[in-house]
Amino acid sequence: MGSVPLQRIGKLATATVALTAVSAAVSLLSVWASQAAQGDAEALLDGTISTDDFVERAAPYLLMSTVQGVMTLATAVVTIIWMYRIAKNHRTLHRGTTWGPGWAIGGWFLPPLLFIIPSLVFREMWKASDPDVPIGGDWKSGRVSPVVPLWFLLYSVIPIVLLVVQSASGFNLGASERDLAQQIIDDQQATVVGAVVAVAGAAAFIVLVRGLTARHRQLTGESATRA
């Protein structure tokens, strides 16, 4: 198998896990920032502090949204490259997958937010990475780890439900400072629930990445000591 131009995935998997863990930590920090800003939000609505003071004190809360966006983008880019390489290796090994390398990229955008295609890609990747199935063997009848549907539930389905609920209650981040203050107060419970779901989804994704990477590296013969 050494003469086959297989692509290495170890470093990408490590980066994906690290970025996912940091994103989960940022989600927890967002809860702290939201709770810290609640008192200032109430003070603004009561007229005991000025708008300028509120904006200054609420800066950590606003910063968390930006940091979360950056971390999400960085994690997505590394994850897509990692998945692309796995899908590419499967094609190189003549494992006739339905979801090819292109779907490792485009699947995240079709449809947006509801990650049905990435879930299907992960299911197929898990089976195709089975190191116990020889080249040309029947890998399609293999079992898929339960962490794949769990990840889909925590990372896609539940967050969409929370987003719909939050949207129904109004989203005023771009409105006036008083609207933002009211949003901070109203969204306390949603922020906590969202952070819990985000951390659980991150944990499931880390297990998925580590498990799939281990299977795939064993399949391709990638050294466990060199990423």
Side-chain angles (χ1 to χ4, degrees):
M1 196 177 296
S3 61
V4 180
L6 298 173
Q7 302 189 47
R8 307 181 73 84
I9 64 169
K11 285 185 178 180
L12 287 169
T14 300
T16 299
V17 168
L19 288 169
T20 301
V22 173
S23 296
V26 172
S27 296
L28 293 178
L29 286 175
S30 69
V31 175
W32 165 81
S34 177
Q35 292 179 341
Q38 183 175 6
D40 296 320
E42 293 173 346
L44 175 66
L45 295 178
D46 292 340
T48 56
I49 65 172
S50 67
T51 298
D52 290 340
D53 287 339
F54 168 72
V55 171
E56 180 179 352
R57 297 177 187 180
Y61 170 82
L62 300 175
L63 179 62
M64 284 301 103
S65 298
T66 301
V67 173
Q68 280 185 310
V70 171
M71 291 307 306
T72 298
L73 179 60
T75 305
V77 170
V78 177
T79 298
I80 287 173
I81 298 173
W82 168 73
M83 292 176 65
Y84 178 87
R85 289 192 178 185
I86 293 177
K88 191 75 172 179
N89 285 344
H90 288 154
R91 289 295 174 88
T92 300
L93 294 171
H94 303 292
R95 299 208 164 185
T97 55
T98 301
W99 305 99
W103 286 111
I105 302 172
W108 290 95
F109 306 98
L110 301 170
L113 300 180
L114 186 58
F115 303 128
I116 297 176
I117 294 178
S119 177
L120 295 174
V121 173
F122 279 134
R123 286 178 58 86
E124 189 172 61
M125 283 182 172
W126 190 276
K127 293 182 179 182
S129 294
D130 189 345
D132 296 326
V133 178
I135 302 301
D138 180 20
W139 55 267
K140 293 185 178 181
S141 61
R143 293 185 177 182
V144 177
S145 170
V147 74
V148 175
L150 177 62
W151 166 81
F152 176 66
L153 178 66
L154 292 171
Y155 203 81
S156 183
V157 177
I158 295 179
I160 287 179
V161 172
L162 294 177
L163 181 62
V164 170
V165 172
Q166 188 175 18
S167 298
S169 63
F171 188 73
N172 302 311
L173 190 57
S176 70
E177 287 80 3
R178 294 185 64 85
D179 289 334
L180 174 59
Q182 188 63 57
Q183 177 189 314
I184 291 174
I185 296 171
D186 294 342
D187 287 353
Q188 286 298 311
Q189 185 176 2
T191 300
V192 173
V193 173
V196 171
V197 173
V199 170
F205 189 56
I206 289 174
V207 173
L208 170 58
V209 171
R210 289 174 63 88
L212 178 55
T213 298
R215 287 166 66 87
H216 192 76
R217 293 181 74 184
Q218 187 176 351
L219 171 70
T220 61
E222 182 177 343
S223 172
T225 59
R226 292 178 54 197

